[in-house]
Amino acid sequence: MLHDSFVLDLASMTWQADGAPLLPSDVCNNVCDGIESVPFHKVFSFGGKKGMMQYMNIVDVMDCGMQVWSTPSAEGSNVPCGREDTAWAYDTKTSSLLVFGGWASRWLGDLVKLNCAAIIGPPYACTSMSPQAGPVFGEKDMVIKGLRFKPGKVQVRFGNTEKNQVVVDAEYIDNETIHCKTANYEQFGPMPVDVKVSINGEGWTVNKLVFNYFANTAARNSMAFGPGVLPKVISGVEVPFHIQARDTINERRTSGGDNFSVRIVSADGLVTGDARITDLQDGRYEVHYSVPKAASYLVHISHADLGGNESVPLRGSPFKVHATDPWTQHRVLGSIPGRRKGATLSELDGELVLYGGDTCGLVVCSTSPGEWRWSSVTPSGPAPGDRIQHSVIIVQNQLVLFGGASLSDGTELADMFWLKKTQGGWAWGCPKSHTPYVRHTVAPGQEPIDTPKPVTGRLAHTAVALDQQMLVIYGEKSGSLLTEPCIVESVIAQVANWIEPILRGDVPAPRKGAAAAATGGTIIMLGGTTINESEQPVVLDELVVFGMESPNSLVCTINPSSASGSRPPARTGATMLEYSPGQLFLYGGFSADGKPFNDAYLLDVTTLAWKRVYNGHPDLVGSQGAMATLLDGKLVLINSSAGSPKLDCACSLDPIGLAASYSFTTRMKTEVNTLLENLEAWADKQTISMELAQNLEKLGQNFDSLLKVMDALYQVKLKKSENDLLIEQLRETLRTLAADKIMPTTKLEKRLEDVAHKWDDIKKVQPQVKSNVEPIQANQADKIREDIEAFTARVLQYKAVFHTKLFYKHCTGAAAAYPLLDTAASELAKLRKECIQFAELASIFELTDAMAPADAAIRELYEDLVSVKDVWDCTMMCEVQFQVGSWQDS
């Protein structure tokens, strides 16, 4: 007897034995048939014999998709006896196999029905679903994919047994898609369940889809940890933190899909930050946010518990952070140039080169570590005329200048100069001649001209360095946008040979003010201003990629589909430079409404992936923006201070390096140890102070000891929630660092558990210590209250005298008033210092309200003092301005 199987390919009428599955056992005289099922047919085998007089009554099933035989258990009381040579048929209406007769040492005449619906299923099937996990409260959108779905009453069943099944109505979308809401499974709790579909009551699908129910995420148990929720952060650069989702029983969640939200608002409510959340699909969420300027902020983190619309604050939210200014401000000295428009700023041989925008010629800034010094330079050689809106590139450590508009008569220029640093200073150079060339690209409605013509003068164009060549893209002449690009074959040569490159592919529209740069032979252009069909200027956000097909042919692609990341918004007049091989750096520019951008992006040219590396507030650079370049990999901005006509501000920033230093792993490797050390020191101090309460008699006689005990009780009360959260945050941080194999954490984990136990002991003993010292506390509290009342009376008395002081009278005169104001300020400072000391005692001895009158009076006195000084300042200004002695009498 055999147990092999063969497959007949009906198309080629050939038998195939390789790969065909074997039956579970040797058998002969069995009955076998294929039955249609979705997604794959099923083959059923029944009966036969495996030896002399050994008849079989088992049913074997093969799934044609999986190519595996199985022997499902048969249920029911009328199981037929083993037999061979039986006959059977399949009833499609009841999904049943009808077995009749056969031989079992005698001829049989019975008829048996085998219901196969649980194996064959209905004429449709499910293949996948999304999501595959969700909270037990349900109501999450689910999309089920499958085969041969049809319109009708669609239902989806969640559950494993009849006792825990929940059925929900679903919506037919198309023959491959069904939409439903996940069932509420709170009565059964979190567990994996089977998901099946039924249409018009035809039975439930049989192929297995499993949905994992998890306990509802609880905001009160979930926590945030990492650099972004520490007290000190930086502005402009993204800082990260993690969220660990926890459920209602405080267990870590292991799947994603939660509705967390993050909102960053300044303490005064005037400034907001940007945040993005990445679901790591394991219960953790990575958050990156940035704030545009230095200030104090509140980081609000919340979660929509139970799937509702109302957000619940996360444990510890809002987190108070203070963002500092990340820029390095440089001391600027020398012949500081005036502010100007249409100039260029470049880095050449470690110095900043400023040219154009006025008639001052070339200005250079040396960037020594101690100070930055500007100086006017008069290079040797033929100097270019004063101009604006020209272009500059750097080739072979020389600055190459082209075009622009003459400051003397506004003519668009077509000349080219190069600048280099020599042993004796600086030197200009220029070609002796420019070779005319034939134009292939002309404006609409014009015919190509075969006669060579000189290169066209232009302004607001874009220039890109290509090894020895310079590509000039578009620009403006006589108020019209140019359609012709041009290339000079060698920028540093006695003869400038110009050619017109042929643009193929998605040829970009003519424009001015675009930003462009090249790296590795690929040219990138972004933005600029063009004219639409209504002859209105339009600021573009187009990303244009130029590939060098040949020395005079460029293949253009506008907004490639492969571009990704944080794409810059539309802008004109931005700065684009090569940051490193394969990476381009973009800064600033202006929006369509003329407002400056104060942001920076890094573009990976290979993948065309954008990353925003800096996002500052536009107000920080003023309405005219800042001039920018790169110096030793750092972004350098040159600008004017408020109200100054000079470019007297210079600052630098390494946004990429700074962001790397604030990455989760880099920052927390050091911060976790610092936080742990501070917590250990704090716990030791409170423990020592609490132990002083063991000798109550001595404590009653020593106010300093009592103060230490009372302060410890106050600190424990004040820090309870904060310390509980901090310990959990440190646990999650160490867990993350250990999982990512960033650093060994065993010793730190041991220290954390030790201090956690010490903190638990402090919390346990705190009620007893408080109870023991209450009589002593009450006695001292009465004395402190008396002292506070005496201090308050003294403050109120001073307030009454304050308003009679001579600086309130105009006849006193400014010369005498200012010394009196200084004396009053000194007296108020002493009162404020006493007030703070009494306020600390009042907090420790739970007498907070006792300080309210004195505190309010001192605040009012400070406000009055400031107001009086403002009046005298105004008086002095008027006297200086008018210089008239009798104006007071008018």
Side-chain angles (χ1 to χ4, degrees), residues 558-572:
I558 299 176
N559 292 332
S561 58
S562 58
S564 61
S566 304
R567 184 172 172 176
R571 64 190 63 207
T572 187

Side-chain angles (χ1 to χ4, degrees), residues 25-288:
S25 61
D26 294 342
V27 65
C28 66
N29 297 336
N30 58 316
V31 62
C32 190
D33 199 359
I35 300 175
E36 182 180 8
S37 179
V38 181
F40 301 108
H41 283 49
K42 304 290 192 298
V43 176
F44 284 77
S45 172
F46 171 73
K49 66 178 180 180
K50 61 181 180 179
M52 187 64 67
M53 306 294 288
Q54 294 180 310
Y55 304 107
M56 301 171 62
N57 69 344
I58 61 174
V59 178
D60 294 317
V61 182
M62 184 189 74
D63 184 297
C64 292
M66 299 177 63
Q67 293 281 296
V68 174
W69 285 97
S70 62
T71 306
S73 59
E75 300 177 355
S77 57
N78 298 319
V79 179
C81 63
R83 64 191 68 196
E84 62 179 334
D85 295 329
T86 189
W88 71 354
Y90 179 67
D91 180 12
T92 57
K93 290 185 178 181
T94 62
S95 298
S96 300
L97 283 166
L98 303 177
V99 179
F100 175 73
W103 175 261
S105 298
R106 61 186 177 88
W107 291 109
L108 304 172
D110 54 349
L111 177 65
V112 183
K113 182 174 75 170
L114 177 63
N115 190 324
C116 306
I119 296 175
I120 297 172
Y124 45 83
C126 303
T127 57
S128 65
M129 64 182 177
S130 178
Q132 297 180 351
V136 292
F137 61 74
E139 292 301 313
K140 291 290 184 181
D141 289 327
M142 171 178 280
V143 175
I144 300 175
K145 291 290 186 178
L147 302 171
R148 300 186 185 180
F149 294 147
K150 58 186 179 181
K153 184 179 180 180
V154 184
Q155 293 181 305
V156 178
R157 187 178 75 188
F158 295 80
N160 301 321
T161 66
E162 292 184 0
K163 293 182 178 180
N164 66 3
Q165 291 176 353
V166 181
V167 178
V168 298
D169 291 331
E171 178 186 5
Y172 168 84
I173 304 299
D174 55 45
N175 60 358
E176 294 182 349
T177 310
I178 286 174
H179 173 264
C180 71
K181 296 281 190 180
T182 58
N184 186 306
Y185 220 70
E186 290 179 291
Q187 58 181 320
F188 304 113
M191 68 176 72
V193 299
D194 294 337
V195 177
K196 299 180 182 294
V197 171
S198 174
I199 303 177
N200 296 328
E202 289 184 313
W204 299 99
T205 51
V206 295
N207 50 320
K208 194 170 185 178
L209 295 180
V210 177
F211 183 80
N212 285 289
Y213 275 112
F214 52 76
N216 300 334
T217 298
R220 69 178 184 276
N221 295 332
S222 303
M223 69 183 62
F225 57 98
V229 292
L230 294 178
K232 293 183 180 180
V233 297
I234 51 174
S235 64
V237 178
E238 281 193 335
V239 289
F241 66 87
H242 287 188
I243 297 174
Q244 175 60 62
R246 292 185 178 234
D247 59 27
T248 52
I249 57 175
N250 206 27
E251 293 291 332
R252 292 187 184 93
R253 291 266 292 99
T254 57
S255 58
D258 291 306
N259 296 321
F260 286 104
S261 63
V262 176
R263 183 171 57 92
I264 302 95
V265 184
S266 61
D268 58 11
L270 300 178
V271 182
T272 60
D274 295 333
R276 56 186 178 90
I277 304 175
T278 302
D279 188 344
L280 301 181
Q281 300 297 330
D282 60 0
R284 292 181 303 157
Y285 299 80
E286 190 173 38
V287 181
H288 290 83

Side-chain angles (χ1 to χ4, degrees), residues 649-809:
C649 288
C651 56
S652 61
L653 173 69
D654 179 8
I656 290 87
L658 195 59
S661 70
Y662 268 82
S663 70
F664 183 92
T665 54
T666 302
R667 197 72 177 173
M668 296 313 294
K669 278 194 301 184
T670 55
E671 289 291 343
V672 70
N673 187 64
T674 302
L675 292 169
L676 190 52
E677 286 180 348
N678 292 340
L679 183 59
E680 288 170 332
W682 184 90
D684 288 341
K685 179 181 177 181
Q686 310 317 318
T687 299
I688 293 172
S689 297
M690 292 268 195
E691 289 174 350
L692 296 175
Q694 294 177 358
N695 189 334
L696 294 177
E697 182 178 353
K698 184 177 179 181
L699 191 67
Q701 299 171 357
N702 190 322
F703 180 75
D704 289 340
S705 297
L706 175 62
L707 192 60
K708 291 179 180 179
V709 173
M710 295 304 302
D711 182 59
L713 293 173
Y714 175 72
Q715 292 296 327
V716 172
K717 177 183 176 181
L718 184 67
K719 295 273 191 176
K720 183 180 184 305
S721 297
E722 180 181 334
N723 283 351
D724 289 343
L725 177 59
L726 176 59
I727 289 171
E728 290 298 322
Q729 287 175 319
L730 290 173
R731 283 188 178 128
E732 291 295 344
T733 300
L734 291 175
R735 180 171 175 266
T736 300
L737 295 176
D740 295 340
K741 299 180 180 179
I742 302 300
M743 57 182 284
T745 59
T746 304
K747 293 182 178 179
L748 290 172
E749 290 171 352
K750 175 65 168 55
R751 287 172 56 193
L752 178 59
E753 293 311 310
D754 288 345
V755 75
H757 290 314
K758 183 172 290 187
W759 170 234
D760 287 339
D761 292 340
I762 291 173
K763 289 188 291 183
K764 290 177 182 177
V765 74
Q766 187 256 3
Q768 185 61 49
V769 171
K770 180 174 173 46
S771 175
N772 292 342
V773 302
E774 274 182 351
I776 304 174
Q777 173 192 356
N779 183 45
Q780 288 294 334
D782 291 340
K783 295 180 180 178
I784 292 172
R785 184 181 292 277
E786 292 176 1
D787 292 340
I788 291 175
E789 290 174 351
F791 173 73
T792 301
R794 185 153 49 90
V795 169
L796 295 177
Q797 182 180 3
Y798 178 83
K799 180 180 179 182
V801 175
F802 181 88
H803 291 114
T804 65
K805 290 184 179 291
L806 293 177
F807 50 67
Y808 272 99
K809 298 179 179 180

Side-chain angles (χ1 to χ4, degrees), residues 267-409:
D268 58 11
L270 300 178
V271 182
T272 60
D274 295 333
R276 56 186 178 90
I277 304 175
T278 302
D279 188 344
L280 301 181
Q281 300 297 330
D282 60 0
R284 292 181 303 157
Y285 299 80
E286 190 173 38
V287 181
H288 290 83
Y289 74 86
S290 64
V291 292
K293 61 170 61 174
S296 294
Y297 292 86
L298 297 176
V299 181
H300 296 268
I301 311 169
S302 57
H303 178 262
D305 282 7
L306 301 177
N309 295 325
E310 184 177 352
S311 293
V312 179
L314 206 70
R315 182 181 176 187
S317 177
F319 294 89
K320 297 179 180 179
V321 300
H322 182 77
T324 58
D325 184 359
W327 291 89
T328 299
Q329 303 294 331
H330 299 281
R331 186 185 181 192
V332 179
L333 301 173
S335 301
I336 300 174
R339 189 172 185 88
R340 74 277 309 271
K341 291 184 179 180
T344 55
L345 180 70
S346 307
E347 181 273 330
L348 186 61
D349 200 21
E351 296 186 271
L352 303 181
V353 178
L354 177 67
Y355 182 78
D358 66 5
T359 59
C360 294
L362 186 69
V363 190
V364 177
C365 181
S366 63
T367 56
S368 58
E371 60 185 29
W372 289 18
R373 182 175 292 275
W374 287 101
S375 59
S376 296
V377 176
T378 304
S380 60
D386 297 323
R387 65 193 65 202
I388 60 172
Q389 293 185 287
H390 52 282
S391 65
V392 295
I393 60 172
I394 305 297
V395 176
Q396 293 184 339
N397 207 32
Q398 298 186 57
L399 183 148
V400 179
L401 177 152
F402 173 76
S406 171
L407 280 176
S408 61
D409 58 10

